[in-house]
PDB file of all heavy atoms in Angstrom:
ATOM      1  N   VAL A   1     109.489  66.854 112.815  1.00 97.00           N
ATOM      2  CA  VAL A   1     110.038  68.150 113.211  1.00 97.00           C
ATOM      3  C   VAL A   1     110.614  68.867 112.001  1.00 97.00           C
ATOM      4  O   VAL A   1     110.465  70.078 111.839  1.00 97.00           O
ATOM      5  CB  VAL A   1     111.105  67.976 114.310  1.00 97.00           C
ATOM      6  CG1 VAL A   1     111.810  69.291 114.609  1.00 97.00           C
ATOM      7  CG2 VAL A   1     110.470  67.405 115.567  1.00 97.00           C
ATOM      8  N   ARG A   2     111.262  68.132 111.129  1.00 97.00           N
ATOM      9  CA  ARG A   2     111.816  68.709 109.893  1.00 97.00           C
ATOM     10  C   ARG A   2     111.332  67.871 108.714  1.00 97.00           C
ATOM     11  O   ARG A   2     111.637  66.698 108.610  1.00 97.00           O
ATOM     12  CB  ARG A   2     113.334  68.688 109.918  1.00 97.00           C
ATOM     13  CG  ARG A   2     113.918  69.540 110.988  1.00 97.00           C
ATOM     14  CD  ARG A   2     114.930  70.509 110.383  1.00 97.00           C
ATOM     15  NE  ARG A   2     115.608  71.254 111.418  1.00 97.00           N
ATOM     16  CZ  ARG A   2     115.185  72.440 111.848  1.00 97.00           C
ATOM     17  NH1 ARG A   2     114.126  72.970 111.340  1.00 97.00           N
ATOM     18  NH2 ARG A   2     115.848  73.075 112.783  1.00 97.00           N
ATOM     19  N   THR A   3     110.576  68.514 107.836  1.00 98.00           N
ATOM     20  CA  THR A   3     110.189  67.854 106.598  1.00 98.00           C
ATOM     21  C   THR A   3     111.320  68.097 105.593  1.00 98.00           C
ATOM     22  O   THR A   3     112.136  69.007 105.779  1.00 98.00           O
ATOM     23  CB  THR A   3     108.852  68.409 106.056  1.00 98.00           C
ATOM     24  OG1 THR A   3     108.941  69.817 105.928  1.00 98.00           O
ATOM     25  CG2 THR A   3     107.692  68.035 106.974  1.00 98.00           C
ATOM     26  N   PRO A   4     111.401  67.305 104.530  1.00 98.00           N
ATOM     27  CA  PRO A   4     112.469  67.489 103.540  1.00 98.00           C
ATOM     28  C   PRO A   4     112.451  68.909 102.946  1.00 98.00           C
ATOM     29  O   PRO A   4     111.383  69.521 102.813  1.00 98.00           O
ATOM     30  CB  PRO A   4     112.147  66.454 102.466  1.00 98.00           C
ATOM     31  CG  PRO A   4     111.344  65.410 103.180  1.00 98.00           C
ATOM     32  CD  PRO A   4     110.557  66.146 104.214  1.00 98.00           C
ATOM     33  N   PRO A   5     113.612  69.423 102.566  1.00 97.00           N
ATOM     34  CA  PRO A   5     113.680  70.762 101.958  1.00 97.00           C
ATOM     35  C   PRO A   5     112.759  70.913 100.742  1.00 97.00           C
ATOM     36  O   PRO A   5     112.252  72.008 100.484  1.00 97.00           O
ATOM     37  CB  PRO A   5     115.150  70.903 101.564  1.00 97.00           C
ATOM     38  CG  PRO A   5     115.881  69.974 102.475  1.00 97.00           C
ATOM     39  CD  PRO A   5     114.940  68.827 102.735  1.00 97.00           C
ATOM     40  N   ALA A   6     112.503  69.827 100.012  1.00 98.00           N
ATOM     41  CA  ALA A   6     111.631  69.885  98.833  1.00 98.00           C
ATOM     42  C   ALA A   6     110.207  70.303  99.197  1.00 98.00           C
ATOM     43  O   ALA A   6     109.470  70.825  98.357  1.00 98.00           O
ATOM     44  CB  ALA A   6     111.621  68.532  98.131  1.00 98.00           C
ATOM     45  N   CYS A   7     109.805  70.108 100.437  1.00 98.00           N
ATOM     46  CA  CYS A   7     108.446  70.477 100.860  1.00 98.00           C
ATOM     47  C   CYS A   7     108.246  71.988 100.882  1.00 98.00           C
ATOM     48  O   CYS A   7     107.112  72.462 100.832  1.00 98.00           O
ATOM     49  CB  CYS A   7     108.144  69.887 102.232  1.00 98.00           C
ATOM     50  SG  CYS A   7     108.121  68.074 102.247  1.00 98.00           S
ATOM     51  N   ALA A   8     109.334  72.747 100.926  1.00 97.00           N
ATOM     52  CA  ALA A   8     109.242  74.210 100.941  1.00 97.00           C
ATOM     53  C   ALA A   8     108.613  74.742  99.656  1.00 97.00           C
ATOM     54  O   ALA A   8     108.053  75.846  99.643  1.00 97.00           O
ATOM     55  CB  ALA A   8     110.618  74.826 101.162  1.00 97.00           C
ATOM     56  N   ARG A   9     108.653  73.963  98.569  1.00 97.00           N
ATOM     57  CA  ARG A   9     108.044  74.396  97.299  1.00 97.00           C
ATOM     58  C   ARG A   9     106.534  74.547  97.398  1.00 97.00           C
ATOM     59  O   ARG A   9     105.928  75.269  96.619  1.00 97.00           O
ATOM     60  CB  ARG A   9     108.383  73.419  96.181  1.00 97.00           C
ATOM     61  CG  ARG A   9     109.806  73.595  95.691  1.00 97.00           C
ATOM     62  CD  ARG A   9     110.098  72.590  94.640  1.00 97.00           C
ATOM     63  NE  ARG A   9     110.991  71.647  95.297  1.00 97.00           N
ATOM     64  CZ  ARG A   9     111.686  70.710  94.713  1.00 97.00           C
ATOM     65  NH1 ARG A   9     111.570  70.513  93.441  1.00 97.00           N
ATOM     66  NH2 ARG A   9     112.484  69.935  95.384  1.00 97.00           N
ATOM     67  N   ALA A  10     105.931  73.871  98.369  1.00 97.00           N
ATOM     68  CA  ALA A  10     104.482  73.965  98.561  1.00 97.00           C
ATOM     69  C   ALA A  10     104.103  75.171  99.416  1.00 97.00           C
ATOM     70  O   ALA A  10     102.922  75.422  99.636  1.00 97.00           O
ATOM     71  CB  ALA A  10     103.966  72.688  99.218  1.00 97.00           C
ATOM     72  N   CYS A  11     105.103  75.902  99.886  1.00 97.00           N
ATOM     73  CA  CYS A  11     104.858  76.975 100.855  1.00 97.00           C
ATOM     74  C   CYS A  11     105.250  78.347 100.328  1.00 97.00           C
ATOM     75  O   CYS A  11     106.095  78.470  99.444  1.00 97.00           O
ATOM     76  CB  CYS A  11     105.644  76.690 102.131  1.00 97.00           C
ATOM     77  SG  CYS A  11     105.184  75.124 102.914  1.00 97.00           S
ATOM     78  N   GLN A  12     104.636  79.368 100.908  1.00 96.00           N
ATOM     79  CA  GLN A  12     104.955  80.760 100.618  1.00 96.00           C
ATOM     80  C   GLN A  12     105.387  81.430 101.919  1.00 96.00           C
ATOM     81  O   GLN A  12     104.925  81.057 103.005  1.00 96.00           O
ATOM     82  CB  GLN A  12     103.726  81.506 100.099  1.00 96.00           C
ATOM     83  CG  GLN A  12     103.172  80.993  98.817  1.00 96.00           C
ATOM     84  CD  GLN A  12     101.856  81.692  98.475  1.00 96.00           C
ATOM     85  OE1 GLN A  12     101.275  82.393  99.288  1.00 96.00           O
ATOM     86  NE2 GLN A  12     101.394  81.482  97.253  1.00 96.00           N
ATOM     87  N   GLY A  13     106.227  82.436 101.792  1.00 96.00           N
ATOM     88  CA  GLY A  13     106.665  83.184 102.968  1.00 96.00           C
ATOM     89  C   GLY A  13     107.417  82.295 103.940  1.00 96.00           C
ATOM     90  O   GLY A  13     108.214  81.456 103.541  1.00 96.00           O
ATOM     91  N   ARG A  14     107.132  82.462 105.200  1.00 95.00           N
ATOM     92  CA  ARG A  14     107.813  81.675 106.240  1.00 95.00           C
ATOM     93  C   ARG A  14     107.036  80.437 106.658  1.00 95.00           C
ATOM     94  O   ARG A  14     107.425  79.747 107.599  1.00 95.00           O
ATOM     95  CB  ARG A  14     108.054  82.552 107.465  1.00 95.00           C
ATOM     96  CG  ARG A  14     109.020  83.694 107.197  1.00 95.00           C
ATOM     97  CD  ARG A  14     109.109  84.566 108.394  1.00 95.00           C
ATOM     98  NE  ARG A  14     107.734  84.883 108.787  1.00 95.00           N
ATOM     99  CZ  ARG A  14     107.362  85.933 109.478  1.00 95.00           C
ATOM    100  NH1 ARG A  14     108.246  86.776 109.884  1.00 95.00           N
ATOM    101  NH2 ARG A  14     106.105  86.147 109.779  1.00 95.00           N
ATOM    102  N   ALA A  15     105.928  80.161 106.002  1.00 96.00           N
ATOM    103  CA  ALA A  15     105.121  78.989 106.357  1.00 96.00           C
ATOM    104  C   ALA A  15     105.903  77.709 106.071  1.00 96.00           C
ATOM    105  O   ALA A  15     106.743  77.660 105.183  1.00 96.00           O
ATOM    106  CB  ALA A  15     103.819  78.988 105.572  1.00 96.00           C
ATOM    107  N   THR A  16     105.598  76.677 106.843  1.00 97.00           N
ATOM    108  CA  THR A  16     106.283  75.395 106.710  1.00 97.00           C
ATOM    109  C   THR A  16     105.345  74.261 107.128  1.00 97.00           C
ATOM    110  O   THR A  16     104.373  74.485 107.852  1.00 97.00           O
ATOM    111  CB  THR A  16     107.560  75.376 107.572  1.00 97.00           C
ATOM    112  OG1 THR A  16     108.182  74.100 107.457  1.00 97.00           O
ATOM    113  CG2 THR A  16     107.263  75.635 109.034  1.00 97.00           C
ATOM    114  N   LEU A  17     105.659  73.072 106.693  1.00 98.00           N
ATOM    115  CA  LEU A  17     104.920  71.875 107.106  1.00 98.00           C
ATOM    116  C   LEU A  17     105.579  71.208 108.318  1.00 98.00           C
ATOM    117  O   LEU A  17     105.049  70.230 108.836  1.00 98.00           O
ATOM    118  CB  LEU A  17     104.841  70.878 105.950  1.00 98.00           C
ATOM    119  CG  LEU A  17     104.073  71.349 104.714  1.00 98.00           C
ATOM    120  CD1 LEU A  17     104.181  70.316 103.594  1.00 98.00           C
ATOM    121  CD2 LEU A  17     102.619  71.631 105.050  1.00 98.00           C
ATOM    122  N   ASP A  18     106.700  71.749 108.762  1.00 97.00           N
ATOM    123  CA  ASP A  18     107.425  71.171 109.899  1.00 97.00           C
ATOM    124  C   ASP A  18     106.562  71.178 111.170  1.00 97.00           C
ATOM    125  O   ASP A  18     105.839  72.135 111.439  1.00 97.00           O
ATOM    126  CB  ASP A  18     108.699  71.968 110.193  1.00 97.00           C
ATOM    127  CG  ASP A  18     109.702  71.926 109.062  1.00 97.00           C
ATOM    128  OD1 ASP A  18     109.531  71.118 108.135  1.00 97.00           O
ATOM    129  OD2 ASP A  18     110.658  72.723 109.110  1.00 97.00           O
ATOM    130  N   THR A  19     106.672  70.098 111.934  1.00 96.00           N
ATOM    131  CA  THR A  19     106.073  69.983 113.263  1.00 96.00           C
ATOM    132  C   THR A  19     104.565  70.244 113.287  1.00 96.00           C
ATOM    133  O   THR A  19     104.023  70.714 114.273  1.00 96.00           O
ATOM    134  CB  THR A  19     106.785  70.935 114.264  1.00 96.00           C
ATOM    135  OG1 THR A  19     108.179  70.905 114.036  1.00 96.00           O
ATOM    136  CG2 THR A  19     106.559  70.491 115.692  1.00 96.00           C
ATOM    137  N   LEU A  20     103.892  69.945 112.221  1.00 97.00           N
ATOM    138  CA  LEU A  20     102.448  70.136 112.157  1.00 97.00           C
ATOM    139  C   LEU A  20     101.767  69.060 113.002  1.00 97.00           C
ATOM    140  O   LEU A  20     102.070  67.869 112.878  1.00 97.00           O
ATOM    141  CB  LEU A  20     101.998  70.035 110.698  1.00 97.00           C
ATOM    142  CG  LEU A  20     100.564  70.396 110.359  1.00 97.00           C
ATOM    143  CD1 LEU A  20     100.247  71.826 110.765  1.00 97.00           C
ATOM    144  CD2 LEU A  20     100.329  70.213 108.869  1.00 97.00           C
ATOM    145  N   VAL A  21     100.888  69.466 113.896  1.00 97.00           N
ATOM    146  CA  VAL A  21     100.111  68.540 114.730  1.00 97.00           C
ATOM    147  C   VAL A  21      98.645  68.869 114.523  1.00 97.00           C
ATOM    148  O   VAL A  21      98.215  70.005 114.735  1.00 97.00           O
ATOM    149  CB  VAL A  21     100.475  68.671 116.232  1.00 97.00           C
ATOM    150  CG1 VAL A  21      99.599  67.759 117.074  1.00 97.00           C
ATOM    151  CG2 VAL A  21     101.944  68.379 116.464  1.00 97.00           C
ATOM    152  N   LEU A  22      97.888  67.879 114.085  1.00 98.00           N
ATOM    153  CA  LEU A  22      96.474  68.077 113.773  1.00 98.00           C
ATOM    154  C   LEU A  22      95.625  67.057 114.517  1.00 98.00           C
ATOM    155  O   LEU A  22      96.061  65.940 114.779  1.00 98.00           O
ATOM    156  CB  LEU A  22      96.249  67.924 112.272  1.00 98.00           C
ATOM    157  CG  LEU A  22      97.066  68.868 111.393  1.00 98.00           C
ATOM    158  CD1 LEU A  22      97.168  68.339 109.979  1.00 98.00           C
ATOM    159  CD2 LEU A  22      96.458  70.248 111.417  1.00 98.00           C
ATOM    160  N   HIS A  23      94.408  67.454 114.838  1.00 98.00           N
ATOM    161  CA  HIS A  23      93.469  66.576 115.538  1.00 98.00           C
ATOM    162  C   HIS A  23      92.315  66.226 114.608  1.00 98.00           C
ATOM    163  O   HIS A  23      91.821  67.085 113.868  1.00 98.00           O
ATOM    164  CB  HIS A  23      92.923  67.260 116.797  1.00 98.00           C
ATOM    165  CG  HIS A  23      93.990  67.615 117.764  1.00 98.00           C
ATOM    166  ND1 HIS A  23      94.470  66.730 118.686  1.00 98.00           N
ATOM    167  CD2 HIS A  23      94.699  68.760 117.912  1.00 98.00           C
ATOM    168  CE1 HIS A  23      95.430  67.320 119.385  1.00 98.00           C
ATOM    169  NE2 HIS A  23      95.592  68.554 118.936  1.00 98.00           N
ATOM    170  N   ARG A  24      91.886  64.981 114.674  1.00 97.00           N
ATOM    171  CA  ARG A  24      90.792  64.534 113.808  1.00 97.00           C
ATOM    172  C   ARG A  24      89.487  65.183 114.260  1.00 97.00           C
ATOM    173  O   ARG A  24      89.096  65.086 115.416  1.00 97.00           O
ATOM    174  CB  ARG A  24      90.656  63.024 113.869  1.00 97.00           C
ATOM    175  CG  ARG A  24      89.652  62.482 112.883  1.00 97.00           C
ATOM    176  CD  ARG A  24      89.476  61.010 113.064  1.00 97.00           C
ATOM    177  NE  ARG A  24      89.925  60.313 111.875  1.00 97.00           N
ATOM    178  CZ  ARG A  24      89.946  58.997 111.771  1.00 97.00           C
ATOM    179  NH1 ARG A  24      89.598  58.240 112.777  1.00 97.00           N
ATOM    180  NH2 ARG A  24      90.353  58.430 110.669  1.00 97.00           N
ATOM    181  N   LEU A  25      88.833  65.855 113.315  1.00 96.00           N
ATOM    182  CA  LEU A  25      87.546  66.490 113.587  1.00 96.00           C
ATOM    183  C   LEU A  25      86.391  65.676 113.037  1.00 96.00           C
ATOM    184  O   LEU A  25      85.267  65.790 113.514  1.00 96.00           O
ATOM    185  CB  LEU A  25      87.492  67.889 112.965  1.00 96.00           C
ATOM    186  CG  LEU A  25      88.522  68.896 113.452  1.00 96.00           C
ATOM    187  CD1 LEU A  25      88.301  70.232 112.768  1.00 96.00           C
ATOM    188  CD2 LEU A  25      88.458  69.051 114.957  1.00 96.00           C
ATOM    189  N   SER A  26      86.655  64.883 112.001  1.00 95.00           N
ATOM    190  CA  SER A  26      85.594  64.113 111.359  1.00 95.00           C
ATOM    191  C   SER A  26      86.185  62.857 110.737  1.00 95.00           C
ATOM    192  O   SER A  26      87.293  62.881 110.221  1.00 95.00           O
ATOM    193  CB  SER A  26      84.929  64.961 110.274  1.00 95.00           C
ATOM    194  OG  SER A  26      84.047  64.170 109.506  1.00 95.00           O
ATOM    195  N   GLU A  27      85.412  61.787 110.784  1.00 93.00           N
ATOM    196  CA  GLU A  27      85.797  60.537 110.135  1.00 93.00           C
ATOM    197  C   GLU A  27      85.047  60.357 108.819  1.00 93.00           C
ATOM    198  O   GLU A  27      85.241  59.369 108.129  1.00 93.00           O
ATOM    199  CB  GLU A  27      85.481  59.354 111.048  1.00 93.00           C
ATOM    200  CG  GLU A  27      86.231  59.380 112.353  1.00 93.00           C
ATOM    201  CD  GLU A  27      85.784  58.270 113.286  1.00 93.00           C
ATOM    202  OE1 GLU A  27      84.953  57.431 112.895  1.00 93.00           O
ATOM    203  OE2 GLU A  27      86.273  58.257 114.424  1.00 93.00           O
ATOM    204  N   ALA A  28      84.205  61.299 108.477  1.00 93.00           N
ATOM    205  CA  ALA A  28      83.344  61.175 107.305  1.00 93.00           C
ATOM    206  C   ALA A  28      84.105  61.499 106.022  1.00 93.00           C
ATOM    207  O   ALA A  28      84.615  62.603 105.854  1.00 93.00           O
ATOM    208  CB  ALA A  28      82.135  62.095 107.442  1.00 93.00           C
ATOM    209  N   SER A  29      84.173  60.537 105.129  1.00 91.00           N
ATOM    210  CA  SER A  29      84.879  60.744 103.866  1.00 91.00           C
ATOM    211  C   SER A  29      84.185  61.795 103.011  1.00 91.00           C
ATOM    212  O   SER A  29      84.831  62.544 102.283  1.00 91.00           O
ATOM    213  CB  SER A  29      85.023  59.429 103.109  1.00 91.00           C
ATOM    214  OG  SER A  29      83.747  58.888 102.826  1.00 91.00           O
ATOM    215  N   GLY A  30      82.867  61.878 103.108  1.00 92.00           N
ATOM    216  CA  GLY A  30      82.129  62.880 102.351  1.00 92.00           C
ATOM    217  C   GLY A  30      82.535  64.293 102.740  1.00 92.00           C
ATOM    218  O   GLY A  30      82.662  65.180 101.886  1.00 92.00           O
ATOM    219  N   GLU A  31      82.729  64.532 104.017  1.00 95.00           N
ATOM    220  CA  GLU A  31      83.182  65.853 104.476  1.00 95.00           C
ATOM    221  C   GLU A  31      84.616  66.114 104.031  1.00 95.00           C
ATOM    222  O   GLU A  31      84.953  67.225 103.640  1.00 95.00           O
ATOM    223  CB  GLU A  31      83.080  65.960 105.991  1.00 95.00           C
ATOM    224  CG  GLU A  31      81.679  66.041 106.506  1.00 95.00           C
ATOM    225  CD  GLU A  31      81.599  66.148 108.014  1.00 95.00           C
ATOM    226  OE1 GLU A  31      82.611  65.980 108.718  1.00 95.00           O
ATOM    227  OE2 GLU A  31      80.495  66.408 108.492  1.00 95.00           O
ATOM    228  N   ALA A  32      85.442  65.084 104.092  1.00 95.00           N
ATOM    229  CA  ALA A  32      86.852  65.243 103.709  1.00 95.00           C
ATOM    230  C   ALA A  32      86.996  65.642 102.249  1.00 95.00           C
ATOM    231  O   ALA A  32      87.869  66.435 101.903  1.00 95.00           O
ATOM    232  CB  ALA A  32      87.630  63.961 103.994  1.00 95.00           C
ATOM    233  N   THR A  33      86.130  65.145 101.380  1.00 95.00           N
ATOM    234  CA  THR A  33      86.229  65.483  99.957  1.00 95.00           C
ATOM    235  C   THR A  33      85.800  66.924  99.685  1.00 95.00           C
ATOM    236  O   THR A  33      86.123  67.472  98.632  1.00 95.00           O
ATOM    237  CB  THR A  33      85.375  64.546  99.077  1.00 95.00           C
ATOM    238  OG1 THR A  33      84.005  64.639  99.473  1.00 95.00           O
ATOM    239  CG2 THR A  33      85.854  63.114  99.177  1.00 95.00           C
ATOM    240  N   ARG A  34      85.103  67.561 100.629  1.00 96.00           N
ATOM    241  CA  ARG A  34      84.646  68.943 100.444  1.00 96.00           C
ATOM    242  C   ARG A  34      85.506  69.973 101.187  1.00 96.00           C
ATOM    243  O   ARG A  34      85.209  71.167 101.134  1.00 96.00           O
ATOM    244  CB  ARG A  34      83.186  69.064 100.883  1.00 96.00           C
ATOM    245  CG  ARG A  34      82.239  68.299  99.971  1.00 96.00           C
ATOM    246  CD  ARG A  34      80.783  68.534 100.298  1.00 96.00           C
ATOM    247  NE  ARG A  34      80.394  68.224 101.660  1.00 96.00           N
ATOM    248  CZ  ARG A  34      80.032  67.028 102.097  1.00 96.00           C
ATOM    249  NH1 ARG A  34      80.031  66.000 101.281  1.00 96.00           N
ATOM    250  NH2 ARG A  34      79.660  66.848 103.344  1.00 96.00           N
ATOM    251  N   LEU A  35      86.565  69.542 101.848  1.00 97.00           N
ATOM    252  CA  LEU A  35      87.420  70.459 102.599  1.00 97.00           C
ATOM    253  C   LEU A  35      88.225  71.335 101.649  1.00 97.00           C
ATOM    254  O   LEU A  35      88.807  70.854 100.684  1.00 97.00           O
ATOM    255  CB  LEU A  35      88.366  69.668 103.511  1.00 97.00           C
ATOM    256  CG  LEU A  35      89.231  70.500 104.443  1.00 97.00           C
ATOM    257  CD1 LEU A  35      88.369  71.209 105.492  1.00 97.00           C
ATOM    258  CD2 LEU A  35      90.260  69.614 105.134  1.00 97.00           C
ATOM    259  N   ARG A  36      88.273  72.623 101.941  1.00 96.00           N
ATOM    260  CA  ARG A  36      89.011  73.586 101.110  1.00 96.00           C
ATOM    261  C   ARG A  36      90.250  74.075 101.841  1.00 96.00           C
ATOM    262  O   ARG A  36      90.272  74.207 103.054  1.00 96.00           O
ATOM    263  CB  ARG A  36      88.126  74.768 100.740  1.00 96.00           C
ATOM    264  CG  ARG A  36      86.970  74.331  99.856  1.00 96.00           C
ATOM    265  CD  ARG A  36      86.190  75.481  99.296  1.00 96.00           C
ATOM    266  NE  ARG A  36      85.103  75.006  98.461  1.00 96.00           N
ATOM    267  CZ  ARG A  36      85.201  74.753  97.169  1.00 96.00           C
ATOM    268  NH1 ARG A  36      86.340  74.942  96.546  1.00 96.00           N
ATOM    269  NH2 ARG A  36      84.156  74.321  96.476  1.00 96.00           N
ATOM    270  N   GLY A  37      91.275  74.365 101.051  1.00 95.00           N
ATOM    271  CA  GLY A  37      92.530  74.844 101.592  1.00 95.00           C
ATOM    272  C   GLY A  37      92.601  76.358 101.635  1.00 95.00           C
ATOM    273  O   GLY A  37      91.643  77.058 101.288  1.00 95.00           O
ATOM    274  N   ALA A  38      93.758  76.885 102.018  1.00 94.00           N
ATOM    275  CA  ALA A  38      93.970  78.319 102.116  1.00 94.00           C
ATOM    276  C   ALA A  38      93.833  79.007 100.773  1.00 94.00           C
ATOM    277  O   ALA A  38      93.590  80.214 100.709  1.00 94.00           O
ATOM    278  CB  ALA A  38      95.349  78.590 102.716  1.00 94.00           C
ATOM    279  N   ASP A  39      93.963  78.258  99.679  1.00 94.00           N
ATOM    280  CA  ASP A  39      93.825  78.836  98.336  1.00 94.00           C
ATOM    281  C   ASP A  39      92.377  78.797  97.832  1.00 94.00           C
ATOM    282  O   ASP A  39      92.085  79.202  96.724  1.00 94.00           O
ATOM    283  CB  ASP A  39      94.734  78.124  97.344  1.00 94.00           C
ATOM    284  CG  ASP A  39      94.443  76.628  97.217  1.00 94.00           C
ATOM    285  OD1 ASP A  39      93.541  76.122  97.929  1.00 94.00           O
ATOM    286  OD2 ASP A  39      95.128  75.965  96.425  1.00 94.00           O
ATOM    287  N   GLY A  40      91.453  78.291  98.667  1.00 94.00           N
ATOM    288  CA  GLY A  40      90.042  78.229  98.300  1.00 94.00           C
ATOM    289  C   GLY A  40      89.646  77.009  97.488  1.00 94.00           C
ATOM    290  O   GLY A  40      88.478  76.796  97.213  1.00 94.00           O
ATOM    291  N   ARG A  41      90.620  76.193  97.110  1.00 96.00           N
ATOM    292  CA  ARG A  41      90.339  75.011  96.296  1.00 96.00           C
ATOM    293  C   ARG A  41      90.149  73.772  97.182  1.00 96.00           C
ATOM    294  O   ARG A  41      90.644  73.720  98.304  1.00 96.00           O
ATOM    295  CB  ARG A  41      91.483  74.766  95.323  1.00 96.00           C
ATOM    296  CG  ARG A  41      91.613  75.884  94.319  1.00 96.00           C
ATOM    297  CD  ARG A  41      92.694  75.596  93.332  1.00 96.00           C
ATOM    298  NE  ARG A  41      92.791  76.674  92.366  1.00 96.00           N
ATOM    299  CZ  ARG A  41      93.829  76.883  91.601  1.00 96.00           C
ATOM    300  NH1 ARG A  41      94.865  76.065  91.666  1.00 96.00           N
ATOM    301  NH2 ARG A  41      93.833  77.874  90.759  1.00 96.00           N
TER     302      ARG A  41
END
């Protein structure tokens, strides 16, 4: 529910890592290595 305050350094604006709930879409490691983030990397 609350990540450490230091985690805010990874965020911009009001975004947060708190209370993140994610569902597994793939078990393939090959796909996982090609996943891109919001920054395009």
Side-chain angles (χ1 to χ4, degrees):
V1 173
R2 296 234 186 267
T3 54
C7 296
R9 284 178 253 192
C11 300
Q12 297 173 349
R14 295 175 310 204
T16 178
L17 297 175
D18 296 348
T19 319
L20 189 59
V21 177
L22 302 160
H23 300 275
R24 187 185 244 177
L25 299 182
S26 171
E27 298 174 4
S29 60
E31 289 180 350
T33 59
R34 293 186 303 274
L35 185 67
R36 295 189 180 272
D39 60 358
R41 295 183 179 162

